[in-house]
Amino acid sequence: MSEQSPPQTVPPRDLPTAADVVVVGAGLAGLACARQLSRRGIDVVVLEASDAPGGRVRTDVVGGFLCDRGFQLLNPAYPEVRRALDVGALRLQSFPAALVVTGSRGRQVLADPRRSPGLLPLTAAGLVRERTGSWREKAAFVRWALEAAQKDPERLLSEPDLPWGEALARRGVDGELRNRVVVPFLAGVLGEDAGVTSHQFVQLLVRSFVRGTPAVPWRGMRAVPEQLAAQVPSIHYGVRAGSAGPGLVRSEAGDIQARAVVVATDPSSATALLDLPAVQSRGLTTYWHAAPEAPTRSGALHVDGERRGPVVNTIVISNRARSYSPDERALIATTVLGGDPDLSTERAVMAQLGEIYSRPTHWWELVRRDAVPEALTAMPAPLQVRRPVALGEGVFVTGDHRDTASLQGALVSGRRTADAVLADLGLPAVPREPLRTR
């Protein structure tokens, strides 16, 4: 199937004065909600302050390189992804189910033997080495990972929850393996390295990792919201909502009366518009570097087992995602914790990258730096999987902060909110689409 064209901007002067539903924000949750409502025949209008859909899921072309708004991956195993998206049309470029752990004593490759069988010898050799942790800790980790991968989600969520750091310590994952592998890897996934995120949420993530191979679309992550936006008839870009309340949305482009209003902005904007309790977020910063040649042939994620600097992970993304580079140069994505870096952080990143890849980095060019203060919604223990989306008087809120911090959570939240809107309007929900084959 050919790729869909990017959605066209609707001039603000065409803003209607009334609609059945107004959705404020064209991120994944807002688009998923509007898509469902449109399938039911509802007159829905989407307002988006920026010039394109996606919210945090965006891609910019910088000097020919595809740079997502922070390092992001799509897991095609997510059920809602397979329902809402034509995954085949995305032309996914997959990454190996492997992790490279580096340090002053060399590097180790840890891979899933089922999906990366060619890396099994390297994985076995790495596990035999004592510096990956004691055999007791390795066995405890394997038991924990298998349990998370095989456990039914409903049963998993019914059990008592703890911060993941405490939960792993109770299971005996508390030595070199934890410090060199588990913490550096999870830091980039969760946006924190203190072990405070919900253990239930971490188990859900591990379950999804085992069931799917992370990838990026050929056109970058922007292809995901663009595909959703192509199914929504009326999206107005460059329109920022000043207020949103029962029956009315005000903006600089005009006011719209509506039977229902859905706020689908970022967490801080949503809480400000609706006077809701603040939502805690985790910040991440991604550095995109171009190098004359790739510092490694591996397309796997690299972490520094000795944590010699601010880098939590790095990857030569163009080794597996060829479309991300316009020529033979390599594109490297590197992530650090926090969404407010300074020049000293950048210098430390370059020094650490030289150690991680065992290559000089002074010829590398900084293509872009993405500092995203609200990159991930915090998921503390005890995990609250579902937060209310219906606020009363025809006002609704949607986003991954109402479900779980993931693409899956954003899409589910959008669908769940659409169902709530339809119920409020006295209409039946749209039947759930079947899971498409991958």
Side-chain angles (χ1 to χ4, degrees):
M1 180 180 286
S2 60
E3 293 183 11
Q4 295 168 317
S5 301
Q8 299 298 312
T9 299
V10 179
R13 64 175 179 272
D14 293 337
L15 200 67
T17 57
D20 288 333
V21 181
V22 175
V23 176
V24 180
L28 294 191
L31 291 171
C33 178
R35 171 181 175 272
Q36 289 291 89
L37 293 173
S38 296
R39 290 178 64 210
R40 178 54 75 193
I42 295 296
D43 175 25
V44 57
V45 172
V46 179
L47 307 182
E48 169 55 45
S50 65
D51 59 354
R56 287 170 286 179
V57 185
R58 292 281 298 270
T59 306
D60 297 309
V61 181
V62 184
F65 294 100
L66 297 185
C67 297
D68 297 323
R69 297 281 176 92
F71 176 59
Q72 303 179 46
L73 294 174
L74 174 68
N75 189 335
Y78 281 148
E80 203 65 22
V81 166
R82 293 164 58 195
R83 286 191 175 95
L85 298 173
D86 182 347
V87 176
L90 297 175
R91 299 172 61 191
L92 294 181
Q93 303 167 100
S94 300
F95 294 87
L99 184 71
V100 178
V101 184
T102 68
S104 59
R105 294 172 288 176
R107 62 188 59 211
Q108 301 161 257
V109 178
L110 302 175
D112 183 338
R114 299 173 301 110
R115 290 178 292 166
S116 299
L119 297 176
L120 181 58
L122 290 174
T123 299
L127 289 174
V128 168
R129 297 173 189 171
E130 189 63 29
R131 66 173 178 269
T132 57
S134 67
W135 285 108
R136 178 195 64 81
E137 186 185 16
K138 293 170 187 173
F141 176 78
V142 170
R143 285 194 300 271
W144 171 79
L146 288 175
E147 178 183 317
Q150 297 172 0
K151 191 175 293 185
D152 179 79
E154 291 187 6
R155 179 187 167 195
L156 186 156
L157 294 171
S158 68
E159 297 173 349
D161 197 13
L162 292 170
W164 73 262
E166 183 180 347
L168 262 63
R170 290 189 179 190
R171 285 163 171 77
V173 185
D174 54 3
E176 283 291 300
L177 181 65
R178 173 187 177 128
N179 295 329
R180 290 180 54 83
V181 180
V182 180
V183 172
F185 172 71
L186 288 180
V189 178
L190 305 174
E192 59 94 0
D193 59 2
V196 296
T197 298
S198 158
H199 181 231
Q200 289 180 347
F201 180 64
V202 171
Q203 288 178 296
L204 290 173
L205 289 177
V206 170
R207 190 176 186 276
S208 70
F209 293 154
V210 171
R211 282 167 163 71
T213 301
V216 291
W218 183 264
R219 297 189 65 253
M221 290 297 293
R222 63 181 172 179
V224 174
E226 285 179 358
Q227 192 180 108
L228 293 171
Q231 303 173 65
V232 178
S234 181
I235 305 178
H236 296 257
Y237 298 99
V239 179
R240 183 179 299 278
S243 66
L248 183 67
V249 174
R250 296 187 182 277
S251 77
E252 70 272 18
D255 298 345
I256 306 180
Q257 293 183 332
R259 297 168 65 191
V261 173
V262 178
V263 174
T265 63
D266 60 84
S268 61
S269 297
T271 56
L273 280 171
L274 299 174
D275 194 25
L276 296 173
V279 175
Q280 184 182 8
S281 297
R282 311 286 187 197
L284 292 172
T285 297
T286 299
Y287 296 87
W288 299 90
H289 288 99
E293 60 182 23
T296 176
R297 290 185 296 177
S298 172
L301 195 71
H302 287 55
V303 299
D304 187 347
E306 296 176 4
R307 307 173 74 184
R308 294 164 289 184
V311 173
V312 294
N313 63 51
T314 180
I315 187 172
V316 184
I317 195 168
S318 55
N319 278 353
R320 297 299 290 263
R322 301 293 185 184
S323 64
Y324 273 55
S325 175
D327 46 44
E328 297 303 313
R329 289 175 293 170
L331 181 65
I332 301 103
T334 302
T335 301
V336 304
L337 297 180
D340 187 25
D342 55 23
L343 187 59
S344 63
T345 302
E346 189 168 328
R347 288 194 292 264
V349 164
M350 295 305 294
Q352 190 178 2
L353 287 175
E355 296 173 324
I356 290 173
Y357 290 113
S358 300
R359 294 285 188 276
T361 59
H362 52 272
W363 294 113
W364 292 14
E365 173 191 356
L366 180 63
V367 178
R368 194 172 76 166
R369 183 189 69 183
D370 287 317
V372 187
E374 292 185 318
L376 298 168
T377 300
M379 294 278 115
L383 182 64
Q384 187 176 352
V385 181
R386 296 285 185 268
R387 292 178 173 84
V389 295
L391 305 181
E393 299 184 274
V395 178
F396 302 82
V397 59
T398 191
D400 67 0
H401 55 97
R402 312 310 290 181
D403 285 77
T404 56
S406 62
L407 289 176
Q408 166 77 4
L411 294 173
V412 167
S413 182
R415 172 177 53 77
R416 192 162 64 91
T417 305
D419 289 346
V421 171
L422 291 171
D424 192 63
L425 297 177
L427 297 172
V430 179
R432 294 187 67 177
E433 296 161 293
L435 291 175
R436 307 186 195 195
T437 58
R438 286 177 278 171

